[in-house]
Amino acid sequence: MDVFLDVLDTFVFDRFYASIAPDYLFDANNSTLFAQDPNLNRHVKVYYPLEPSKWAESSIWKRDDLLRQAFSLFLIAWVFAMIMYLVGSFVLYHTIFDKRLLQHPRYLPNQMQLEIKQGISAIPVISILTVPFFLAEIRGWSKLYDFSSEAPFWGYTFLQYPLFICFTDSGIYWIHRGLHHPSVYRWLHKPHHKWAVPTPFASYAFHPLDGWSQSLPYHVFPMLFPLQKTAYLGLFAFVTLWTVLIHDAEYLASSVIINGASCHTMHHLYFNYNYGQFLTFWDRLGGTYRTPKGDAFMEKNDKAAQAIKKQA
């Protein structure tokens, strides 16, 4: 996130903060004042010699100001999550999502509009709650590193991916299962279970604390384990997309190992099963696994369609 922030500071935020909180004592035309500062763009320069913008020190909110960093990180998290949520859900809805589900008896009136409304209202709150983790990362309090040569041992560059998946899947399983405890379910997790037959737009239709709590393992991992920065960004995008994918209500695809959309649909339909995010391991170990099966409404429609096809 520190590299990403350097780039956005250079092309977006420097000028933005200079316009809303200018430093009238600074001469923006005197480029030597900021070009010699080794701290500006120090993170991105490890990869590419990007020079700071001429507005780099034109604001009273300097780049290393804690409040500026927090606000910038909030905007990044908010905009990124909104784009991934809306674009990803839109694409899946218009490609692999089975539109017959819109006629399902458990599909709520105006459900998709309600899912979108809940999703876009939850994302900014989740982003605010996530900012402290991003601040810790850019201030060097995590175990993120730049290059494979900095890995703790040979082969860790490849090992970090399955380690991340296993760690986060374990954490999400227990957090998700805890959210179903009667003491917290009604006010925290129940809003997400309104969608018994979810569309892709249900992926972020959470209570904000619910969505944030299930994201904790992703942010805790780089605090405890080494993780390459490029892998971190890639995994962050993958996790966001995966959250959308498992809510596409696709009944056909199933796996005994991968906790995909068919498994997660069983969770929405039958409540106390398939808590995992990526794998079925913890559900099998915890006795909460339910084999995906066809929905009666969909099977009835499939049989009718096959009969019509045969008669034709």
Side-chain angles (χ1 to χ4, degrees):
M1 192 59 72
D2 51 8
V3 176
F4 203 39
L5 187 58
D6 273 356
V7 174
L8 286 177
D9 273 336
T10 301
F11 293 105
V12 179
F13 290 134
D14 284 342
R15 189 167 188 175
F16 170 68
Y17 290 113
S19 64
I20 65 171
D23 182 355
Y24 294 105
L25 299 178
F26 180 78
D27 182 5
N29 294 317
N30 188 353
S31 61
T32 59
L33 291 178
F34 65 85
Q36 296 176 355
D37 188 347
N39 290 320
L40 295 176
N41 285 8
R42 66 185 183 278
H43 302 294
V44 69
K45 281 181 178 178
V46 173
Y47 302 92
Y48 182 80
L50 180 66
E51 293 301 320
S53 70
K54 69 177 184 178
W55 298 281
E57 303 224 317
S58 297
S59 172
I60 57 174
W61 266 17
K62 305 304 180 186
R63 281 197 183 184
D64 60 352
D65 185 277
L66 183 65
L67 290 178
R68 167 172 166 166
Q69 288 178 338
F71 187 64
S72 297
L73 291 168
F74 161 68
L75 292 176
I76 293 170
W78 186 10
V79 172
F80 177 82
M82 287 289 288
I83 292 173
M84 292 292 290
Y85 166 58
L86 294 175
V87 174
S89 300
F90 179 85
V91 170
L92 288 178
Y93 177 79
H94 288 284
T95 53
I96 66 175
F97 180 70
D98 194 332
K99 306 300 189 297
R100 292 177 300 171
L101 289 167
L102 301 179
Q103 307 302 320
H104 196 287
R106 299 186 68 180
Y107 183 84
L108 303 177
N110 301 317
Q111 178 177 310
M112 192 161 56
Q113 292 89 334
L114 294 172
E115 289 172 339
I116 295 172
K117 181 179 179 180
Q118 189 174 37
I120 62 177
S121 63
I123 287 174
V125 181
I126 296 172
S127 300
I128 291 172
L129 296 174
T130 306
V131 163
F133 291 101
F134 289 153
L135 281 174
E137 292 166 12
I138 67 172
R139 289 178 173 262
W141 300 339
S142 71
K143 294 189 177 183
L144 293 169
Y145 61 92
D146 290 295
F147 301 109
S148 299
S149 58
E150 302 172 43
F153 56 83
W154 184 89
Y156 187 82
T157 300
F158 304 100
L159 181 62
Q160 62 185 336
Y161 296 100
L163 183 61
F164 176 89
I165 295 297
C166 291
F167 177 87
T168 54
D169 193 58
S170 173
I172 290 172
Y173 173 83
W174 291 108
I175 292 171
H176 191 181
R177 189 167 178 175
L179 287 166
H180 279 255
H181 191 277
S183 63
V184 298
Y185 172 78
R186 184 181 298 274
W187 64 274
L188 199 57
H189 195 52
K190 188 176 181 179
H192 186 62
H193 271 276
K194 286 191 300 185
W195 329 118
V197 180
T199 77
F201 291 99
S203 55
Y204 277 81
F206 287 99
H207 185 289
L209 288 178
D210 180 3
W212 174 77
S213 66
Q214 294 194 62
S215 74
L216 284 176
Y218 307 135
H219 303 294
V220 171
F221 182 87
M223 301 297 167
L224 301 178
F225 301 97
L227 184 64
Q228 193 174 1
K229 290 179 181 179
T230 51
Y232 171 73
L233 289 176
L235 286 167
F236 192 72
F238 165 73
V239 164
T240 306
L241 182 60
W242 183 265
T243 303
V244 177
L245 282 169
I246 62 173
H247 287 88
D248 67 7
E250 176 57 60
Y251 289 95
L252 300 178
S254 60
S255 170
V256 297
I257 299 174
I258 305 299
N259 188 5
S262 56
C263 279
H264 197 70
T265 298
M266 294 298 102
H267 177 72
H268 277 262
L269 287 171
Y270 302 107
F271 187 73
N272 286 324
Y273 302 95
N274 300 353
Y275 295 106
Q277 180 81 348
F278 303 113
L279 307 171
T280 62
F281 173 79
W282 282 104
D283 281 299
R284 293 179 181 277
L285 191 65
T288 56
Y289 178 71
R290 179 160 184 160
T291 304
K293 65 177 183 178
D295 178 73
F297 172 81
M298 298 299 290
E299 289 179 345
K300 181 180 178 180
N301 279 271
D302 287 337
K303 289 179 180 179
Q306 290 171 7
I308 293 171
K309 183 178 180 180
K310 184 177 179 180
Q311 291 171 9

